Every structure is written in C-alpha cells, then in structure tokens.
Amino acid sequence: MNKYKIKIINSCQDFLDGLKKNNSHIHNQICNTIKEVIENPFNSKFKRLEYSDKDRRARSGNFRIVFFIKENYIFITKIEQRKNVYKSSVGCPKMSKKKLRSL
C-alpha cells in the first residue's frame, strides 16, 4: 500500500488551529479521521461526492473533511460542519504553494 503525504489548504489549517485552542475534543476527533484517511484514502466509508470523480469526503462527527488524491498526496480542501460544507463550492481549487501546508 502506498504511503501518502498530506497537504492542507491554509484556511483548513487555520480552522484546525482555532479548534485546538477552543475545542480540543473536536480537534482530536478530526485529526484522528485525517489519520484514517492517510492510512487508507480509498476506504469505502470515505464516500465520493456526487458531482465529482476526484473529490471524496470523510465524516468526523458533525464535520466533513473534503479531499482528493493526486499521485502520492492527499489534498484536504475543506473542513466544515455538515450543514455548511455542501452549500459552498467544493472541489479542487487551483493549488499554489502559498495556499498549501504539509503536515
């Protein structure tokens, strides 16, 4: 099995940083889900989004983690509450090195 590296959009990392300060329980829950994604991103519990062949989502309580896989990288593009995540555009944004952080 491939060992994947993770890249996360700055806004998602900022969201996680805020959770770490304000709500460590939810932060740990989301981080554990991200670890599961790294171990096996093609697990059947990580569903494909209906409108996209590339985007997948992982469920973490009331939060959803939207990601896609390209080569040996998993790109996390969105982390939001379930009620909000599908309202705004989800998808593969243009990736610039300024917008990405490695974990």
Side-chain angles (χ1 to χ4, degrees), residues 64-77:
R64 299 298 180 264
I65 302 162
V66 178
F67 65 95
F68 68 94
I69 302 154
K70 186 173 181 180
E71 298 173 7
N72 289 344
Y73 290 96
I74 297 170
F75 293 91
I76 295 180
T77 58

Side-chain angles (χ1 to χ4, degrees), residues 17 21 41 45 49 70 91:
D17 292 343
K21 293 177 186 174
K45 70 179 185 180
L49 297 182
K70 186 173 181 180

Side-chain angles (χ1 to χ4, degrees), residues 16 18-31:
L16 285 175
L19 275 180
K20 188 174 186 178
K21 293 177 186 174
N22 300 321
N23 197 334
S24 61
H25 172 71
I26 293 176
H27 176 267
N28 292 337
Q29 173 186 312
I30 291 173
C31 287

Side-chain angles (χ1 to χ4, degrees), residues 1 3-5 9 16 19 21 23 32 34-35 40-42 47 53 56 59 71 76 81 85-87 89:
M1 183 171 289
K3 179 70 176 172
Y4 292 94
K5 296 177 185 173
I9 293 211
L16 285 175
L19 275 180
K21 293 177 186 174
N23 197 334
N32 288 336
I34 290 173
K35 288 176 187 175
N40 184 6
F42 296 104
K47 308 285 184 191
D53 291 336
R56 302 176 77 82
R59 181 178 163 206
E71 298 173 7
I76 295 180
Q81 287 188 329
V85 73
Y86 304 114
K87 290 180 182 177
S89 65

Side-chain angles (χ1 to χ4, degrees), residues 87-102:
K87 290 180 182 177
S88 59
S89 65
V90 178
C92 305
K94 292 182 180 179
M95 296 292 168
S96 70
K97 290 184 179 179
K98 291 181 182 178
K99 287 188 173 184
L100 294 175
R101 291 188 198 169
S102 297

